[in-house]
Amino acid sequence: MKDILYQTPDNPFPDPTGNRHVAGYFRTRDGKSLRYALFKADAPRAKGTIVLVHGRNECIEKYYETISDLLKTGLWVATFDWRGQGGSERLLPNHSAGYVERFVDYEHDLEDFLTQVVLPDARLPFFLVAHSAGALVALSAAPRLTTRIERMVLCAPFIALGGQRLGQRGVRLLTNVMSRIGLKRMIVARNRHNQPFADNRLTHDERRFRRNQAIFGSAPLLAPSSPTARWISEALGRIDVVRHQDHLAAIQIPTLILAAGGDQIVPLRAIEELGTLFRAGRVITVDQARHELFQESDIYREPALAAITAFLPGAEAEQEQDALSISS
Protein backbone atom coordinates (compact mmCIF):
# COMPACT_ATOMS: atom_id res chain seq x y z
CA MET A 1 0.00 0.00 0.00
CA LYS A 2 2.71 2.49 0.96
CA ASP A 3 4.48 1.82 -2.33
CA ILE A 4 1.38 2.67 -4.33
CA LEU A 5 -0.63 5.27 -2.38
CA TYR A 6 0.66 8.20 -0.35
CA GLN A 7 -0.59 10.21 2.59
CA THR A 8 0.31 13.31 4.58
CA PRO A 9 -0.66 14.26 8.16
CA ASP A 10 -3.48 16.45 6.80
CA ASN A 11 -4.54 13.92 4.18
CA PRO A 12 -4.83 10.43 5.72
CA PHE A 13 -5.90 7.26 3.92
CA PRO A 14 -9.66 6.77 3.57
CA ASP A 15 -9.01 3.26 4.93
CA PRO A 16 -7.06 3.75 8.21
CA THR A 17 -6.94 0.01 8.99
CA GLY A 18 -5.59 -0.88 5.56
CA ASN A 19 -8.00 -3.82 5.38
CA ARG A 20 -10.78 -2.44 3.23
CA HIS A 21 -9.10 -1.43 0.03
CA VAL A 22 -7.05 -2.77 -2.85
CA ALA A 23 -4.53 -0.73 -4.83
CA GLY A 24 -2.46 -1.66 -7.84
CA TYR A 25 -2.00 -1.18 -11.56
CA PHE A 26 -3.92 -2.31 -14.60
CA ARG A 27 -2.71 -2.49 -18.19
CA THR A 28 -4.58 -0.61 -20.94
CA ARG A 29 -5.26 -2.01 -24.39
CA ASP A 30 -2.26 -0.11 -25.76
CA GLY A 31 0.06 -1.25 -22.96
CA LYS A 32 0.05 1.72 -20.56
CA SER A 33 0.26 1.05 -16.80
CA LEU A 34 -2.39 2.95 -14.82
CA ARG A 35 -2.68 3.17 -11.03
CA TYR A 36 -6.00 2.36 -9.38
CA ALA A 37 -7.60 1.87 -5.97
CA LEU A 38 -10.83 0.22 -4.84
CA PHE A 39 -12.17 1.26 -1.42
CA LYS A 40 -14.84 -0.83 0.34
CA ALA A 41 -17.44 0.68 2.64
CA ASP A 42 -17.59 -0.52 6.24
CA ALA A 43 -21.10 -1.90 5.85
CA PRO A 44 -22.43 -5.47 5.85
CA ARG A 45 -23.85 -5.04 2.37
CA ALA A 46 -22.61 -2.64 -0.31
CA LYS A 47 -25.22 -0.42 -1.93
CA GLY A 48 -23.18 -0.28 -5.12
CA THR A 49 -19.95 1.26 -6.40
CA ILE A 50 -19.06 4.79 -7.43
CA VAL A 51 -16.53 5.01 -10.24
CA LEU A 52 -14.79 8.27 -9.34
CA VAL A 53 -13.16 9.94 -12.34
CA HIS A 54 -10.67 12.77 -11.83
CA GLY A 55 -10.01 15.92 -13.77
CA ARG A 56 -6.83 16.84 -15.60
CA ASN A 57 -3.75 16.89 -13.37
CA GLU A 58 -5.43 15.22 -10.40
CA CYS A 59 -4.61 12.03 -8.54
CA ILE A 60 -6.17 9.52 -6.16
CA GLU A 61 -4.64 11.22 -3.11
CA LYS A 62 -6.44 14.49 -3.84
CA TYR A 63 -9.77 12.68 -3.37
CA TYR A 64 -9.14 10.95 -0.01
CA GLU A 65 -11.56 13.23 1.85
CA THR A 66 -14.26 12.84 -0.80
CA ILE A 67 -13.76 9.06 -0.92
CA SER A 68 -14.21 8.94 2.88
CA ASP A 69 -17.45 10.90 2.61
CA LEU A 70 -18.81 8.64 -0.13
CA LEU A 71 -17.89 5.47 1.77
CA LYS A 72 -20.08 6.63 4.67
CA THR A 73 -23.11 6.27 2.40
CA GLY A 74 -22.47 2.54 2.10
CA LEU A 75 -21.18 2.79 -1.45
CA TRP A 76 -17.79 1.47 -2.54
CA VAL A 77 -15.46 3.75 -4.50
CA ALA A 78 -13.29 2.68 -7.43
CA THR A 79 -10.90 5.24 -8.91
CA PHE A 80 -7.76 5.51 -11.03
CA ASP A 81 -5.22 7.99 -12.35
CA TRP A 82 -5.44 8.90 -16.04
CA ARG A 83 -2.53 8.12 -18.31
CA GLY A 84 0.11 10.82 -18.12
CA GLN A 85 -0.72 12.02 -14.60
CA GLY A 86 -0.67 11.07 -10.93
CA GLY A 87 0.88 7.68 -10.26
CA SER A 88 0.12 6.33 -13.72
CA GLU A 89 2.58 5.97 -16.57
CA ARG A 90 3.68 9.30 -18.01
CA LEU A 91 3.62 9.72 -21.77
CA LEU A 92 6.60 12.01 -22.34
CA PRO A 93 10.15 12.07 -20.93
CA ASN A 94 9.32 15.57 -19.68
CA HIS A 95 6.88 14.78 -16.87
CA SER A 96 5.93 18.44 -16.55
CA ALA A 97 4.23 18.29 -19.97
CA GLY A 98 0.61 17.13 -19.99
CA TYR A 99 0.02 15.18 -23.18
CA VAL A 100 -2.35 12.79 -24.90
CA GLU A 101 -2.06 11.57 -28.48
CA ARG A 102 -5.80 11.04 -28.97
CA PHE A 103 -8.61 12.04 -26.62
CA VAL A 104 -10.29 8.70 -27.28
CA ASP A 105 -7.38 7.09 -25.40
CA TYR A 106 -8.94 8.43 -22.20
CA GLU A 107 -12.25 6.82 -23.11
CA HIS A 108 -10.50 3.52 -23.70
CA ASP A 109 -8.75 3.85 -20.31
CA LEU A 110 -12.12 4.29 -18.59
CA GLU A 111 -13.60 1.31 -20.43
CA ASP A 112 -10.55 -0.83 -19.62
CA PHE A 113 -10.84 0.12 -15.95
CA LEU A 114 -14.49 -0.90 -15.91
CA THR A 115 -13.71 -4.21 -17.62
CA GLN A 116 -10.57 -5.20 -15.72
CA VAL A 117 -11.20 -3.84 -12.20
CA VAL A 118 -14.75 -2.65 -11.58
CA LEU A 119 -16.81 -5.41 -13.19
CA PRO A 120 -14.95 -8.34 -11.59
CA ASP A 121 -14.10 -6.82 -8.19
CA ALA A 122 -16.70 -4.17 -7.26
CA ARG A 123 -20.38 -4.37 -6.35
CA LEU A 124 -23.40 -3.56 -8.50
CA PRO A 125 -25.01 -1.20 -9.33
CA PHE A 126 -22.30 1.06 -10.78
CA PHE A 127 -22.50 4.86 -10.68
CA LEU A 128 -20.08 7.26 -12.34
CA VAL A 129 -19.02 10.54 -10.68
CA ALA A 130 -16.66 12.63 -12.78
CA HIS A 131 -15.03 16.04 -12.44
CA SER A 132 -13.97 18.58 -15.08
CA ALA A 133 -11.92 16.94 -17.86
CA GLY A 134 -12.90 13.56 -16.44
CA ALA A 135 -16.52 14.60 -16.91
CA LEU A 136 -15.73 15.41 -20.54
CA VAL A 137 -14.39 11.87 -20.97
CA ALA A 138 -17.48 10.42 -19.29
CA LEU A 139 -19.82 12.51 -21.42
CA SER A 140 -18.00 11.43 -24.57
CA ALA A 141 -18.03 7.73 -23.66
CA ALA A 142 -21.57 7.71 -22.21
CA PRO A 143 -23.42 6.36 -25.27
CA ARG A 144 -21.34 3.17 -24.95
CA LEU A 145 -21.78 2.86 -21.17
CA THR A 146 -25.55 2.41 -21.00
CA THR A 147 -25.41 -1.25 -19.97
CA ARG A 148 -22.67 -0.66 -17.37
CA ILE A 149 -23.48 2.60 -15.58
CA GLU A 150 -26.77 3.09 -13.72
CA ARG A 151 -26.47 6.83 -13.12
CA MET A 152 -23.90 9.51 -13.83
CA VAL A 153 -22.87 12.75 -12.12
CA LEU A 154 -20.82 15.36 -13.99
CA CYS A 155 -19.20 17.98 -11.73
CA ALA A 156 -18.15 21.23 -13.43
CA PRO A 157 -17.76 19.37 -16.74
CA PHE A 158 -15.05 20.76 -19.01
CA ILE A 159 -17.29 21.51 -21.98
CA ALA A 160 -16.02 25.03 -22.72
CA LEU A 161 -12.87 27.03 -22.12
CA GLY A 162 -13.27 30.38 -20.41
CA GLY A 163 -10.98 33.29 -19.67
CA GLN A 164 -8.90 33.12 -22.87
CA ARG A 165 -7.91 36.23 -24.83
CA LEU A 166 -8.07 34.36 -28.13
CA GLY A 167 -11.40 32.79 -27.30
CA GLN A 168 -12.05 29.06 -27.52
CA ARG A 169 -12.14 29.03 -31.32
CA GLY A 170 -8.85 30.91 -31.56
CA VAL A 171 -7.14 28.61 -29.04
CA ARG A 172 -8.32 25.55 -30.94
CA LEU A 173 -7.10 26.92 -34.26
CA LEU A 174 -3.68 27.78 -32.80
CA THR A 175 -3.17 24.42 -31.08
CA ASN A 176 -4.37 22.53 -34.17
CA VAL A 177 -1.76 24.29 -36.26
CA MET A 178 0.96 23.67 -33.68
CA SER A 179 0.04 19.99 -33.56
CA ARG A 180 0.26 19.67 -37.34
CA ILE A 181 3.63 21.39 -37.74
CA GLY A 182 5.46 19.27 -35.19
CA LEU A 183 4.90 21.35 -32.04
CA LYS A 184 2.29 19.09 -30.46
CA ARG A 185 4.47 18.40 -27.40
CA MET A 186 5.09 22.06 -26.66
CA ILE A 187 3.66 23.39 -23.39
CA VAL A 188 1.28 26.25 -24.13
CA ALA A 189 0.07 27.17 -20.63
CA ARG A 190 2.08 26.88 -17.44
CA ASN A 191 0.46 25.41 -14.33
CA ARG A 192 1.78 26.49 -10.95
CA HIS A 193 0.92 23.91 -8.32
CA ASN A 194 2.81 26.02 -5.77
CA GLN A 195 1.01 29.28 -6.58
CA PRO A 196 -0.23 31.55 -3.77
CA PHE A 197 -3.72 30.83 -2.54
CA ALA A 198 -4.83 34.38 -3.36
CA ASP A 199 -4.09 33.77 -7.06
CA ASN A 200 -6.03 30.53 -7.39
CA ARG A 201 -9.33 30.27 -9.32
CA LEU A 202 -10.26 26.78 -8.15
CA THR A 203 -11.48 27.00 -4.55
CA HIS A 204 -12.39 29.39 -1.73
CA ASP A 205 -10.99 26.96 0.85
CA GLU A 206 -7.40 27.74 1.85
CA ARG A 207 -7.03 24.68 4.09
CA ARG A 208 -7.91 22.25 1.31
CA PHE A 209 -5.81 24.25 -1.14
CA ARG A 210 -2.73 23.96 1.13
CA ARG A 211 -3.45 20.30 1.79
CA ASN A 212 -3.37 19.56 -1.93
CA GLN A 213 -0.12 21.47 -2.36
CA ALA A 214 1.38 19.35 0.43
CA ILE A 215 0.43 16.15 -1.41
CA PHE A 216 2.55 17.11 -4.38
CA GLY A 217 5.33 18.37 -2.13
CA SER A 218 5.57 15.05 -0.27
CA ALA A 219 5.23 12.88 -3.41
CA PRO A 220 6.88 14.76 -6.33
CA LEU A 221 6.11 11.93 -8.76
CA LEU A 222 2.45 12.94 -8.49
CA ALA A 223 3.21 16.54 -9.44
CA PRO A 224 0.80 18.03 -11.98
CA SER A 225 1.82 18.91 -15.51
CA SER A 226 1.11 21.78 -17.88
CA PRO A 227 -1.04 21.25 -20.99
CA THR A 228 0.63 20.80 -24.36
CA ALA A 229 -0.72 21.94 -27.71
CA ARG A 230 -1.85 18.40 -28.52
CA TRP A 231 -3.74 17.99 -25.23
CA ILE A 232 -5.67 21.23 -25.71
CA SER A 233 -6.35 20.54 -29.39
CA GLU A 234 -7.72 17.07 -28.64
CA ALA A 235 -9.82 18.24 -25.68
CA LEU A 236 -11.38 21.15 -27.57
CA GLY A 237 -12.14 18.88 -30.50
CA ARG A 238 -13.95 16.47 -28.19
CA ILE A 239 -15.91 19.35 -26.64
CA ASP A 240 -17.37 20.13 -30.07
CA VAL A 241 -18.53 16.51 -30.32
CA VAL A 242 -20.18 16.17 -26.91
CA ARG A 243 -22.09 19.45 -27.15
CA HIS A 244 -23.78 18.37 -30.37
CA GLN A 245 -27.44 17.49 -29.98
CA ASP A 246 -27.05 14.16 -31.79
CA HIS A 247 -24.43 12.99 -29.29
CA LEU A 248 -26.48 14.06 -26.29
CA ALA A 249 -29.56 12.35 -27.69
CA ALA A 250 -27.62 9.07 -27.77
CA ILE A 251 -27.03 9.15 -23.99
CA GLN A 252 -29.62 7.17 -22.05
CA ILE A 253 -27.95 7.22 -18.61
CA PRO A 254 -29.82 9.49 -16.14
CA THR A 255 -27.35 12.28 -15.44
CA LEU A 256 -26.97 14.98 -12.82
CA ILE A 257 -24.83 17.93 -13.90
CA LEU A 258 -23.40 20.05 -11.07
CA ALA A 259 -22.37 23.52 -12.17
CA ALA A 260 -20.22 25.89 -10.11
CA GLY A 261 -21.86 29.31 -10.11
CA GLY A 262 -18.55 31.16 -9.71
CA ASP A 263 -16.54 28.97 -12.10
CA GLN A 264 -13.77 30.88 -13.89
CA ILE A 265 -12.56 27.81 -15.81
CA VAL A 266 -15.77 26.57 -17.45
CA PRO A 267 -18.37 29.27 -18.25
CA LEU A 268 -21.66 28.64 -16.44
CA ARG A 269 -23.60 29.62 -19.56
CA ALA A 270 -22.09 26.71 -21.50
CA ILE A 271 -23.24 24.20 -18.87
CA GLU A 272 -26.71 25.71 -18.77
CA GLU A 273 -26.92 25.46 -22.57
CA LEU A 274 -25.81 21.84 -22.37
CA GLY A 275 -28.64 21.14 -19.94
CA THR A 276 -31.25 22.48 -22.35
CA LEU A 277 -30.09 20.02 -25.05
CA PHE A 278 -29.39 17.02 -22.81
CA ARG A 279 -32.61 15.05 -22.50
CA ALA A 280 -31.19 12.63 -19.90
CA GLY A 281 -29.47 15.38 -17.91
CA ARG A 282 -30.50 17.81 -15.19
CA VAL A 283 -28.41 20.82 -14.14
CA ILE A 284 -28.10 22.01 -10.55
CA THR A 285 -25.99 25.09 -9.85
CA VAL A 286 -24.09 25.61 -6.61
CA ASP A 287 -24.18 29.40 -6.39
CA GLN A 288 -20.83 31.22 -6.18
CA ALA A 289 -18.81 28.00 -5.94
CA ARG A 290 -15.55 27.77 -7.85
CA HIS A 291 -14.48 25.05 -10.26
CA GLU A 292 -13.24 22.35 -7.87
CA LEU A 293 -16.46 21.52 -6.04
CA PHE A 294 -14.89 18.61 -4.13
CA GLN A 295 -12.11 20.91 -2.86
CA GLU A 296 -14.37 23.83 -2.03
CA SER A 297 -15.37 25.37 1.30
CA ASP A 298 -18.03 23.40 3.16
CA ILE A 299 -20.73 25.97 2.34
CA TYR A 300 -20.40 24.89 -1.32
CA ARG A 301 -19.03 21.39 -1.00
CA GLU A 302 -21.67 19.97 1.34
CA PRO A 303 -24.65 20.84 -0.90
CA ALA A 304 -22.79 19.33 -3.86
CA LEU A 305 -22.19 16.07 -1.96
CA ALA A 306 -25.80 16.06 -0.75
CA ALA A 307 -27.03 16.35 -4.33
CA ILE A 308 -24.81 13.48 -5.40
CA THR A 309 -25.75 11.08 -2.61
CA ALA A 310 -29.45 11.90 -3.07
CA PHE A 311 -29.29 11.25 -6.80
CA LEU A 312 -27.36 7.99 -6.86
CA PRO A 313 -29.25 5.38 -4.79
CA GLY A 314 -32.53 5.37 -6.70
CA ALA A 315 -35.88 6.84 -7.56
CA GLU A 316 -36.52 8.20 -4.07
CA ALA A 317 -33.82 10.77 -4.79
CA GLU A 318 -36.22 13.00 -6.72
CA GLN A 319 -38.04 14.23 -3.60
CA GLU A 320 -34.81 14.67 -1.66
CA GLN A 321 -33.22 16.78 -4.38
CA ASP A 322 -36.15 19.20 -4.41
CA ALA A 323 -35.38 20.03 -0.77
CA LEU A 324 -31.75 20.96 -1.35
CA SER A 325 -30.90 24.58 -0.61
CA ILE A 326 -29.07 25.19 -3.86
CA SER A 327 -30.39 26.78 -7.01
CA SER A 328 -31.25 24.74 -10.06
PDB file of all heavy atoms in Angstrom, residues 85-105:
ATOM      1  N   GLN A  85      -0.614  11.196 -15.808  1.00  0.00           N
ATOM      2  CA  GLN A  85      -0.719  12.020 -14.602  1.00  0.00           C
ATOM      3  C   GLN A  85      -0.796  11.151 -13.356  1.00  0.00           C
ATOM      4  O   GLN A  85      -1.004   9.936 -13.437  1.00  0.00           O
ATOM      5  CB  GLN A  85      -1.925  12.946 -14.677  1.00  0.00           C
ATOM      6  CG  GLN A  85      -3.280  12.269 -14.686  1.00  0.00           C
ATOM      7  CD  GLN A  85      -4.421  13.249 -14.921  1.00  0.00           C
ATOM      8  OE1 GLN A  85      -4.450  13.982 -15.915  1.00  0.00           O
ATOM      9  NE2 GLN A  85      -5.384  13.285 -14.018  1.00  0.00           N
ATOM     10  N   GLY A  86      -0.629  11.798 -12.196  1.00  0.00           N
ATOM     11  CA  GLY A  86      -0.672  11.071 -10.930  1.00  0.00           C
ATOM     12  C   GLY A  86       0.371   9.977 -10.880  1.00  0.00           C
ATOM     13  O   GLY A  86       1.518  10.158 -11.280  1.00  0.00           O
ATOM     14  N   GLY A  87      -0.036   8.808 -10.370  1.00  0.00           N
ATOM     15  CA  GLY A  87       0.880   7.678 -10.257  1.00  0.00           C
ATOM     16  C   GLY A  87       0.849   6.747 -11.441  1.00  0.00           C
ATOM     17  O   GLY A  87       1.436   5.660 -11.392  1.00  0.00           O
ATOM     18  N   SER A  88       0.166   7.142 -12.510  1.00  0.00           N
ATOM     19  CA  SER A  88       0.119   6.326 -13.723  1.00  0.00           C
ATOM     20  C   SER A  88       1.295   6.645 -14.637  1.00  0.00           C
ATOM     21  O   SER A  88       2.014   7.626 -14.437  1.00  0.00           O
ATOM     22  CB  SER A  88      -1.200   6.560 -14.470  1.00  0.00           C
ATOM     23  OG  SER A  88      -2.287   6.014 -13.753  1.00  0.00           O
ATOM     24  N   GLU A  89       1.459   5.823 -15.639  1.00  0.00           N
ATOM     25  CA  GLU A  89       2.582   5.973 -16.567  1.00  0.00           C
ATOM     26  C   GLU A  89       2.503   7.304 -17.299  1.00  0.00           C
ATOM     27  O   GLU A  89       1.464   7.673 -17.849  1.00  0.00           O
ATOM     28  CB  GLU A  89       2.565   4.825 -17.574  1.00  0.00           C
ATOM     29  CG  GLU A  89       3.728   4.825 -18.549  1.00  0.00           C
ATOM     30  CD  GLU A  89       3.725   3.594 -19.454  1.00  0.00           C
ATOM     31  OE1 GLU A  89       3.113   2.572 -19.064  1.00  0.00           O
ATOM     32  OE2 GLU A  89       4.326   3.663 -20.542  1.00  0.00           O
ATOM     33  N   ARG A  90       3.611   8.040 -17.291  1.00  0.00           N
ATOM     34  CA  ARG A  90       3.685   9.305 -18.010  1.00  0.00           C
ATOM     35  C   ARG A  90       3.967   9.030 -19.489  1.00  0.00           C
ATOM     36  O   ARG A  90       4.558   8.015 -19.842  1.00  0.00           O
ATOM     37  CB  ARG A  90       4.766  10.204 -17.409  1.00  0.00           C
ATOM     38  CG  ARG A  90       4.533  10.574 -15.927  1.00  0.00           C
ATOM     39  CD  ARG A  90       3.284  11.412 -15.742  1.00  0.00           C
ATOM     40  NE  ARG A  90       2.946  11.640 -14.337  1.00  0.00           N
ATOM     41  CZ  ARG A  90       2.918  12.839 -13.760  1.00  0.00           C
ATOM     42  NH1 ARG A  90       3.209  13.912 -14.458  1.00  0.00           N
ATOM     43  NH2 ARG A  90       2.581  12.955 -12.491  1.00  0.00           N
ATOM     44  N   LEU A  91       3.561   9.958 -20.336  1.00  0.00           N
ATOM     45  CA  LEU A  91       3.615   9.715 -21.771  1.00  0.00           C
ATOM     46  C   LEU A  91       4.790  10.383 -22.465  1.00  0.00           C
ATOM     47  O   LEU A  91       5.095  10.052 -23.609  1.00  0.00           O
ATOM     48  CB  LEU A  91       2.309  10.191 -22.424  1.00  0.00           C
ATOM     49  CG  LEU A  91       1.021   9.578 -21.844  1.00  0.00           C
ATOM     50  CD1 LEU A  91      -0.187  10.110 -22.589  1.00  0.00           C
ATOM     51  CD2 LEU A  91       1.076   8.055 -21.898  1.00  0.00           C
ATOM     52  N   LEU A  92       5.444  11.321 -21.777  1.00  0.00           N
ATOM     53  CA  LEU A  92       6.601  12.006 -22.341  1.00  0.00           C
ATOM     54  C   LEU A  92       7.758  11.967 -21.356  1.00  0.00           C
ATOM     55  O   LEU A  92       7.542  11.903 -20.139  1.00  0.00           O
ATOM     56  CB  LEU A  92       6.262  13.469 -22.656  1.00  0.00           C
ATOM     57  CG  LEU A  92       5.167  13.748 -23.695  1.00  0.00           C
ATOM     58  CD1 LEU A  92       4.958  15.252 -23.843  1.00  0.00           C
ATOM     59  CD2 LEU A  92       5.505  13.118 -25.033  1.00  0.00           C
ATOM     60  N   PRO A  93       9.000  12.006 -21.848  1.00  0.00           N
ATOM     61  CA  PRO A  93      10.151  12.074 -20.934  1.00  0.00           C
ATOM     62  C   PRO A  93      10.070  13.278 -20.005  1.00  0.00           C
ATOM     63  O   PRO A  93      10.488  13.211 -18.846  1.00  0.00           O
ATOM     64  CB  PRO A  93      11.351  12.178 -21.888  1.00  0.00           C
ATOM     65  CG  PRO A  93      10.876  11.570 -23.171  1.00  0.00           C
ATOM     66  CD  PRO A  93       9.422  11.914 -23.263  1.00  0.00           C
ATOM     67  N   ASN A  94       9.531  14.377 -20.500  1.00  0.00           N
ATOM     68  CA  ASN A  94       9.325  15.571 -19.681  1.00  0.00           C
ATOM     69  C   ASN A  94       8.019  15.418 -18.921  1.00  0.00           C
ATOM     70  O   ASN A  94       6.933  15.631 -19.466  1.00  0.00           O
ATOM     71  CB  ASN A  94       9.294  16.814 -20.565  1.00  0.00           C
ATOM     72  CG  ASN A  94       9.018  18.083 -19.775  1.00  0.00           C
ATOM     73  OD1 ASN A  94       9.027  18.075 -18.541  1.00  0.00           O
ATOM     74  ND2 ASN A  94       8.765  19.176 -20.468  1.00  0.00           N
ATOM     75  N   HIS A  95       8.082  15.040 -17.655  1.00  0.00           N
ATOM     76  CA  HIS A  95       6.879  14.780 -16.869  1.00  0.00           C
ATOM     77  C   HIS A  95       6.084  16.042 -16.555  1.00  0.00           C
ATOM     78  O   HIS A  95       4.955  15.947 -16.080  1.00  0.00           O
ATOM     79  CB  HIS A  95       7.253  14.069 -15.568  1.00  0.00           C
ATOM     80  CG  HIS A  95       7.663  12.652 -15.775  1.00  0.00           C
ATOM     81  ND1 HIS A  95       7.908  11.779 -14.736  1.00  0.00           N
ATOM     82  CD2 HIS A  95       7.872  11.936 -16.918  1.00  0.00           C
ATOM     83  CE1 HIS A  95       8.259  10.596 -15.220  1.00  0.00           C
ATOM     84  NE2 HIS A  95       8.249  10.679 -16.534  1.00  0.00           N
ATOM     85  N   SER A  96       6.662  17.201 -16.808  1.00  0.00           N
ATOM     86  CA  SER A  96       5.934  18.443 -16.554  1.00  0.00           C
ATOM     87  C   SER A  96       5.041  18.827 -17.726  1.00  0.00           C
ATOM     88  O   SER A  96       4.334  19.832 -17.661  1.00  0.00           O
ATOM     89  CB  SER A  96       6.908  19.588 -16.265  1.00  0.00           C
ATOM     90  OG  SER A  96       7.696  19.882 -17.403  1.00  0.00           O
ATOM     91  N   ALA A  97       5.054  18.010 -18.796  1.00  0.00           N
ATOM     92  CA  ALA A  97       4.232  18.285 -19.971  1.00  0.00           C
ATOM     93  C   ALA A  97       3.029  17.348 -19.987  1.00  0.00           C
ATOM     94  O   ALA A  97       3.180  16.129 -20.020  1.00  0.00           O
ATOM     95  CB  ALA A  97       5.061  18.111 -21.242  1.00  0.00           C
ATOM     96  N   GLY A  98       1.836  17.925 -19.951  1.00  0.00           N
ATOM     97  CA  GLY A  98       0.609  17.133 -19.994  1.00  0.00           C
ATOM     98  C   GLY A  98       0.229  16.838 -21.438  1.00  0.00           C
ATOM     99  O   GLY A  98      -0.010  17.756 -22.228  1.00  0.00           O
ATOM    100  N   TYR A  99       0.137  15.558 -21.776  1.00  0.00           N
ATOM    101  CA  TYR A  99       0.016  15.176 -23.180  1.00  0.00           C
ATOM    102  C   TYR A  99      -0.942  14.013 -23.340  1.00  0.00           C
ATOM    103  O   TYR A  99      -1.076  13.156 -22.462  1.00  0.00           O
ATOM    104  CB  TYR A  99       1.402  14.762 -23.719  1.00  0.00           C
ATOM    105  CG  TYR A  99       1.433  14.359 -25.167  1.00  0.00           C
ATOM    106  CD1 TYR A  99       1.493  15.314 -26.175  1.00  0.00           C
ATOM    107  CD2 TYR A  99       1.401  13.007 -25.527  1.00  0.00           C
ATOM    108  CE1 TYR A  99       1.529  14.942 -27.502  1.00  0.00           C
ATOM    109  CE2 TYR A  99       1.426  12.629 -26.864  1.00  0.00           C
ATOM    110  CZ  TYR A  99       1.489  13.614 -27.849  1.00  0.00           C
ATOM    111  OH  TYR A  99       1.516  13.238 -29.167  1.00  0.00           O
ATOM    112  N   VAL A 100      -1.622  13.979 -24.466  1.00  0.00           N
ATOM    113  CA  VAL A 100      -2.350  12.791 -24.897  1.00  0.00           C
ATOM    114  C   VAL A 100      -2.317  12.792 -26.420  1.00  0.00           C
ATOM    115  O   VAL A 100      -2.425  13.842 -27.048  1.00  0.00           O
ATOM    116  CB  VAL A 100      -3.803  12.765 -24.363  1.00  0.00           C
ATOM    117  CG1 VAL A 100      -4.678  13.804 -25.046  1.00  0.00           C
ATOM    118  CG2 VAL A 100      -4.412  11.383 -24.491  1.00  0.00           C
ATOM    119  N   GLU A 101      -2.120  11.641 -27.015  1.00  0.00           N
ATOM    120  CA  GLU A 101      -2.059  11.570 -28.475  1.00  0.00           C
ATOM    121  C   GLU A 101      -3.445  11.695 -29.087  1.00  0.00           C
ATOM    122  O   GLU A 101      -3.647  12.412 -30.070  1.00  0.00           O
ATOM    123  CB  GLU A 101      -1.412  10.253 -28.905  1.00  0.00           C
ATOM    124  CG  GLU A 101      -1.224  10.103 -30.416  1.00  0.00           C
ATOM    125  CD  GLU A 101      -0.330  11.165 -31.026  1.00  0.00           C
ATOM    126  OE1 GLU A 101       0.582  11.667 -30.321  1.00  0.00           O
ATOM    127  OE2 GLU A 101      -0.550  11.508 -32.211  1.00  0.00           O
ATOM    128  N   ARG A 102      -4.422  10.990 -28.507  1.00  0.00           N
ATOM    129  CA  ARG A 102      -5.804  11.041 -28.972  1.00  0.00           C
ATOM    130  C   ARG A 102      -6.720  11.094 -27.757  1.00  0.00           C
ATOM    131  O   ARG A 102      -6.512  10.338 -26.798  1.00  0.00           O
ATOM    132  CB  ARG A 102      -6.158   9.810 -29.810  1.00  0.00           C
ATOM    133  CG  ARG A 102      -5.246   9.531 -30.990  1.00  0.00           C
ATOM    134  CD  ARG A 102      -5.631   8.205 -31.632  1.00  0.00           C
ATOM    135  NE  ARG A 102      -5.654   7.119 -30.633  1.00  0.00           N
ATOM    136  CZ  ARG A 102      -6.352   6.000 -30.772  1.00  0.00           C
ATOM    137  NH1 ARG A 102      -7.092   5.811 -31.835  1.00  0.00           N
ATOM    138  NH2 ARG A 102      -6.307   5.067 -29.837  1.00  0.00           N
ATOM    139  N   PHE A 103      -7.720  11.940 -27.784  1.00  0.00           N
ATOM    140  CA  PHE A 103      -8.609  12.037 -26.619  1.00  0.00           C
ATOM    141  C   PHE A 103      -9.338  10.725 -26.375  1.00  0.00           C
ATOM    142  O   PHE A 103      -9.647  10.374 -25.233  1.00  0.00           O
ATOM    143  CB  PHE A 103      -9.618  13.173 -26.808  1.00  0.00           C
ATOM    144  CG  PHE A 103     -10.286  13.570 -25.520  1.00  0.00           C
ATOM    145  CD1 PHE A 103      -9.700  14.497 -24.679  1.00  0.00           C
ATOM    146  CD2 PHE A 103     -11.485  12.992 -25.135  1.00  0.00           C
ATOM    147  CE1 PHE A 103     -10.297  14.853 -23.475  1.00  0.00           C
ATOM    148  CE2 PHE A 103     -12.095  13.340 -23.939  1.00  0.00           C
ATOM    149  CZ  PHE A 103     -11.499  14.280 -23.106  1.00  0.00           C
ATOM    150  N   VAL A 104      -9.603   9.970 -27.438  1.00  0.00           N
ATOM    151  CA  VAL A 104     -10.291   8.699 -27.281  1.00  0.00           C
ATOM    152  C   VAL A 104      -9.491   7.721 -26.427  1.00  0.00           C
ATOM    153  O   VAL A 104     -10.059   6.766 -25.871  1.00  0.00           O
ATOM    154  CB  VAL A 104     -10.627   8.091 -28.662  1.00  0.00           C
ATOM    155  CG1 VAL A 104      -9.372   7.544 -29.341  1.00  0.00           C
ATOM    156  CG2 VAL A 104     -11.691   7.012 -28.554  1.00  0.00           C
ATOM    157  N   ASP A 105      -8.181   7.941 -26.285  1.00  0.00           N
ATOM    158  CA  ASP A 105      -7.377   7.092 -25.403  1.00  0.00           C
ATOM    159  C   ASP A 105      -7.900   7.142 -23.975  1.00  0.00           C
ATOM    160  O   ASP A 105      -7.882   6.132 -23.256  1.00  0.00           O
ATOM    161  CB  ASP A 105      -5.901   7.519 -25.421  1.00  0.00           C
ATOM    162  CG  ASP A 105      -5.220   7.227 -26.754  1.00  0.00           C
ATOM    163  OD1 ASP A 105      -5.730   6.377 -27.513  1.00  0.00           O
ATOM    164  OD2 ASP A 105      -4.173   7.848 -27.028  1.00  0.00           O
TER     165      ASP A 105
END
